[in-house]
Amino acid sequence: MEIDRADVVAEVTTAFAGYEQALVDGDAERICGYFWDSDRTVRFGLADHQYGLEEQRKWRAAQPPLPPGRRLVDPVITTFGLDLAVVTTRFGYVGTAATGRQTQTWVRLPVGWRIVTAHVSEPLPAAPEV
């Protein structure tokens, strides 16, 4: 198995950039278009979870837009062979110190690269030192 084959990394980088742009644009339909259209698609969010793309479509339609100024911090795209990739990044917003974390598993399907599972989280605030 070839890890990080340049052409595959480039394909996933392009797909991930499209997903991020849809997220920043607040385009729920485009966002969901990057996910596998299956009941087995899983997304865990900050305070939510969706099992299946239909649940995610309903959840996304009810969400307000992201705060302005989303920025990615240290994205890493690792590919495994021709058809599997993991994308990890931290993210934040202008004017805030909080940095969230995001992990996605992408798979090449007949329709193209799609996210099959995603997890978004924020670290807990550091406990005060005693």
Side-chain angles (χ1 to χ4, degrees):
M1 174 184 307
E2 192 172 350
I3 296 175
D4 289 341
R5 189 173 143 158
D7 58 334
V8 180
V9 171
E11 290 174 9
V12 177
T13 299
T14 298
F16 178 67
Y19 168 82
E20 276 295 313
Q21 188 61 55
L23 197 60
V24 168
D25 292 346
D27 187 332
E29 183 144 343
R30 272 184 33 232
I31 294 166
C32 289
Y34 284 95
F35 282 81
W36 180 29
D37 191 356
S38 171
D39 291 341
R40 291 191 251 170
T41 299
V42 177
R43 181 187 171 279
F44 294 136
L46 296 176
D48 59 279
H49 57 272
Q50 297 87 47
Y51 291 91
L53 189 55
E54 283 309 309
E55 275 189 22
Q56 187 176 161
R57 282 188 175 113
K58 290 175 189 171
W59 180 82
R60 290 256 180 227
Q63 296 311 299
L66 292 178
R70 179 176 167 91
R71 64 185 179 357
L72 300 182
V73 180
D74 299 327
V76 176
I77 295 174
T78 306
T79 65
F80 302 88
L82 298 174
D83 302 319
L84 179 69
V86 175
V87 178
T88 57
T89 190
R90 292 178 294 134
F91 62 89
Y93 299 94
V94 173
T96 66
T99 301
R101 300 170 289 199
Q102 174 177 313
T103 302
Q104 299 167 335
T105 302
W106 290 73
V107 173
R108 184 196 308 267
L109 298 169
V111 295
W113 285 99
R114 295 297 183 267
I115 301 164
V116 298
T117 186
H119 192 166
V120 180
S121 64
E122 288 182 342
L124 295 173
E129 292 193 31
V130 181

